[in-house]
Amino acid sequence: EREEAAVEGAALLEWPEQKMAQSIEDWYKEMPIVTRTYLTLSFLTTVLCSLEVISPFTVYFNLKLITEKLQLWRLISSFLFFGNLGLDFLFHMFFLTRYCRLLEEGSFRSRTADFVYMLLFGGTLLLICASFAQIQFLGQSLTFMMVYVWARRNQHVNMSLLGLFNFTAPYLPWVLAIFSLVLGSSPVVDVIGMIAGHLYYFLEDIYPAMRGRRLLKTPGILKVIFDNQHHLD
């Protein structure tokens, strides 16, 4: 029995590189399509900027360059850069992946087109806000929008911050905003994300319950694209 225990103990200590790589690969492949795509593009954009393969000056939001120089890619690339590699980057990658996935696999399960429409709706609001607030990068704001929507739809979920104090899900965006502020981020970026999240939540969840009709309807073209993809999968 001691020999068997020793063998089992040794097996637990062994973690071959191939097994670790396979575990990461499985984790990545198990992500739903929208979460996986957004995480991949954000990670690659941020890393390539950090390695100076591309410059952050080519991806930030600039309304003048978009309208006058037709640099339309900035409408998307401004959501993909998350600053220098470090604790703040890991912090935002974790919450982007977690809450994007929770939404996509939760209230938007089998409704990929509706989820994409939510991101487009929120992204449009954030671009409008950025035009007035002089915000160059919007990925953090979009992440906070997703956190806000998830938190409002899971109001009775109990949460804890580092085991220090407990709170319910609706307070999560504010807790993260304070934590983000401690890490040196601008609170304006987080707040406009929460505003976009609140407006979506009101129009999609509150208003239909009050008036009996929906104001936000997913365009048919998105239904055709993503519903067809869902059936193929």
Side-chain angles (χ1 to χ4, degrees):
E1 293 181 358
R2 290 182 179 179
E3 291 181 357
E4 292 179 356
V7 171
E8 291 178 359
L12 290 174
L13 292 175
E14 292 179 358
W15 189 260
E17 293 182 3
Q18 182 178 358
K19 187 175 182 180
M20 181 180 293
Q22 183 178 1
S23 177
I24 295 174
E25 181 181 359
D26 291 342
W27 169 79
Y28 179 75
K29 289 182 176 180
E30 287 173 358
M31 288 184 189
I33 183 63
V34 177
T35 301
R36 185 168 68 244
T37 300
Y38 190 26
L39 173 64
T40 302
L41 293 176
S42 298
F43 180 83
L44 289 177
T45 301
T46 304
V47 170
L48 289 175
C49 285
S50 296
L51 296 176
E52 298 184 353
V53 176
I54 59 177
S55 170
F57 291 105
T58 64
V59 299
Y60 78 99
F61 177 76
N62 186 307
L63 185 60
K64 184 176 181 180
L65 292 176
I66 293 171
T67 55
E68 296 183 5
K69 302 293 185 180
L70 296 181
Q71 296 182 4
L72 301 180
W73 67 84
R74 294 178 184 272
L75 294 172
I76 298 175
S77 63
S78 56
F79 289 93
L80 304 178
F81 179 70
F82 283 81
N84 297 324
L85 298 181
L87 181 61
D88 191 50
F89 170 72
L90 295 176
F91 171 73
H92 287 105
M93 286 297 98
F94 171 78
F95 283 100
L96 182 157
T97 304
R98 177 172 175 78
Y99 290 99
C100 189
R101 182 172 184 171
L102 283 173
L103 280 176
E104 192 171 359
E105 293 182 337
S107 57
F108 288 98
R109 178 180 292 274
S110 301
R111 297 170 52 217
T112 303
D114 294 336
F115 186 50
V116 171
Y117 184 57
M118 185 202 80
L119 296 178
L120 291 174
F121 174 83
T124 301
L125 289 177
L126 294 175
L127 288 170
I128 294 172
C129 291
S131 301
F132 295 97
Q134 300 298 314
I135 297 174
Q136 287 76 39
F137 300 106
L138 295 162
Q140 183 175 329
S141 298
L142 188 61
T143 300
F144 264 80
M145 176 192 173
M146 291 187 284
V147 170
Y148 186 93
V149 173
W150 178 87
R152 297 297 297 180
R153 288 181 170 179
N154 296 271
Q155 298 187 25
H156 301 294
V157 174
N158 294 317
M159 312 194 77
S160 174
L161 179 64
L162 304 176
L164 298 177
F165 65 92
N166 301 320
F167 55 92
T168 54
Y171 292 100
L172 176 62
W174 299 101
V175 172
L176 295 182
I178 294 173
F179 189 51
S180 182
L181 182 62
V182 171
L183 293 176
S185 298
S186 170
V188 176
V189 175
D190 302 337
V191 170
I192 66 169
M194 288 189 279
I195 291 173
H198 182 75
L199 186 56
Y200 176 83
Y201 175 74
F202 176 80
L203 294 176
E204 180 66 14
D205 292 22
I206 303 300
Y207 186 83
M210 294 170 53
R211 300 295 184 180
R213 61 190 182 95
R214 293 180 60 192
L215 295 179
L216 297 180
K217 296 182 180 180
T218 303
I221 184 63
L222 293 180
K223 294 281 190 180
V224 170
I225 295 173
F226 292 101
D227 285 353
N228 285 345
Q229 181 63 41
H230 177 71
H231 291 315
L232 288 174
D233 293 341

